[in-house]
Amino acid sequence: MTPIADILAAAQPTPTGFTATLPSDWMQGRTAYGGISSAIALHAAQQCEPDLPPLRSAQISFIGPLAGDITVTTSKLRRGRNAAFIQSDIVSDAGLGYRATFVFMADQQSKLDFDQRVLVGRAPPGPNDTLYTGPDNIFIGNFNFLDLKDNVAEGELVRWARLRATDGLDPMVHVMAVADALPPAVARMFGGGFPPVSSLTWIVNMMTPAPSTTDGWWLLSAKSDFARHGCSSQTMRIWNADGELMAEGMQSVAIFA
C-alpha cells in the first residue's frame, strides 16, 4: 500500500508541473486507477496559480494507459475575477493518457439559495461490519470497502469506501482519489468477474468548498440508466458519513462485450 501523500512528496518539480511515479499497487489492469490520476492532476493544478479559490468542477478525459514514470504538466487557460480554469495533462511512456480541466471559483453573492439535496439515511460501517480490501498489488488494496445490497436498483452500485492512508491529503485531492473507487455500474449486470469496460470521460461537480467526513468514510453510488451499442452513461454521487451530498457527476463508459 502506497499512501498518496508519499507519491506527491516524492514528485520532482519541473517548470510546468512535476514528474512522479505511479506505483504498481495503484494500477487497475494496464493503466492507473482513475482516482489516483485525478488526485495527482488536481494537486498539480492547485500549484499552478497562487491563492486559487475552491475547486468547483472537473472535466476529465481518460485518453490512454498510464503506468510507471509520469510527467504532469499544467497550464492556466484563463483566470478571471471570479473563476480560474487550469488544465492538467499526464503523460507516460505510452503518450498522453489523461487530460482534465479544473474550474476553481469562490462563493458569489446570489439571490438564489436553493438546496434539494436529500440526506441519505445509510449508516457508515460499524465495529460489527465485515470490511474488505483488495490485493496489495492493485489499487483496491489502498481502500476499505463495504458493499450495500438492499434497495439497490439494477445497473446500480452503492458502496462505502475509505482510503487506508489519508494523512497529509488536501480535502479536495482526497475526494477525487475516492470518488472513482466504484467499478462502472454496468459491471454488476455481467455477473461474476470483471467485464471488459473502460471509463472514457468523467465530470465532477463539487457541492461544497470544504468536503469533510467522519472516520474517512464516503458513500459512493454509480447508476447506469442506459447501455447500448457498447456505451453506457452513468450518474455518480458521493456523500459523507453524515449523509450530506458532497459531489455528483457523470461518466461515459465503453463496453467491450
Side-chain angles (χ1 to χ4, degrees):
M1 185 185 70
T2 306
I4 298 172
D6 289 359
I7 299 173
L8 298 177
Q12 297 298 310
T14 68
T16 56
F18 56 78
T19 59
T21 300
L22 290 168
S24 60
D25 61 355
W26 278 104
M27 298 296 289
Q28 53 175 9
R30 65 193 186 101
T31 192
Y33 158 60
I36 189 64
S37 301
S38 299
I40 290 171
L42 174 58
H43 176 76
Q46 291 172 329
Q47 318 307 310
C48 183
E49 277 281 292
D51 302 320
L52 282 170
L55 178 69
R56 189 60 58 102
S57 184
Q59 302 166 47
I60 295 163
S61 294
F62 299 107
I63 298 167
L66 290 173
D69 294 335
I70 58 172
T71 299
V72 188
T73 60
T74 61
S75 59
K76 178 179 70 175
L77 302 180
R78 183 180 185 273
R79 183 163 191 178
R81 184 173 56 186
N82 299 315
F85 291 74
I86 309 294
Q87 178 174 298
S88 292
D89 288 350
I90 306 180
V91 174
S92 69
D93 285 346
L96 178 64
Y98 178 101
R99 173 166 288 174
T101 300
F102 296 104
V103 184
F104 302 85
M105 191 173 83
D107 289 347
Q108 307 296 311
Q109 288 188 345
S110 174
K111 296 178 181 178
L112 296 180
D113 188 354
F114 178 74
D115 188 347
Q116 285 196 322
R117 292 177 297 174
V118 177
L119 285 173
V120 173
R122 295 177 183 265
N128 295 323
D129 288 311
T130 301
L131 308 179
Y132 72 93
T133 188
D136 289 340
N137 61 341
I138 58 175
F139 83 95
I140 55 175
N142 292 278
F143 291 88
N144 295 131
F145 293 117
L146 179 67
D147 281 344
L148 302 184
K149 305 295 186 182
D150 295 337
N151 300 317
V152 176
E154 184 180 14
E156 182 180 19
L157 293 170
V158 181
R159 175 181 294 174
W160 285 102
R162 178 175 66 182
L163 273 173
R164 294 171 63 190
T166 61
D167 289 348
L169 281 186
D170 172 88
M172 289 293 186
V173 172
H174 184 170
V175 169
M176 292 300 290
V178 174
D180 195 32
L182 288 177
V186 291
R188 185 177 176 213
M189 305 175 74
F190 282 85
F194 193 80
V197 296
S198 179
S199 299
L200 299 174
T201 60
W202 186 24
I203 299 171
V204 182
N205 293 325
M206 300 301 303
M207 304 288 125
T208 172
S212 63
T213 193
T214 302
D215 294 332
W217 284 113
W218 307 91
L219 182 64
L220 310 181
S221 168
K223 186 175 186 294
S224 176
D225 297 308
F226 174 90
R228 184 174 297 155
H229 303 310
C231 187
S232 169
S233 177
Q234 68 177 35
T235 54
M236 304 169 72
R237 291 180 173 86
I238 178 170
W239 295 266
N240 66 8
D242 294 323
E244 299 169 324
L245 186 64
M246 297 283 101
E248 59 184 5
M250 293 185 71
Q251 273 194 2
S252 177
V253 178
I255 306 168
F256 304 102

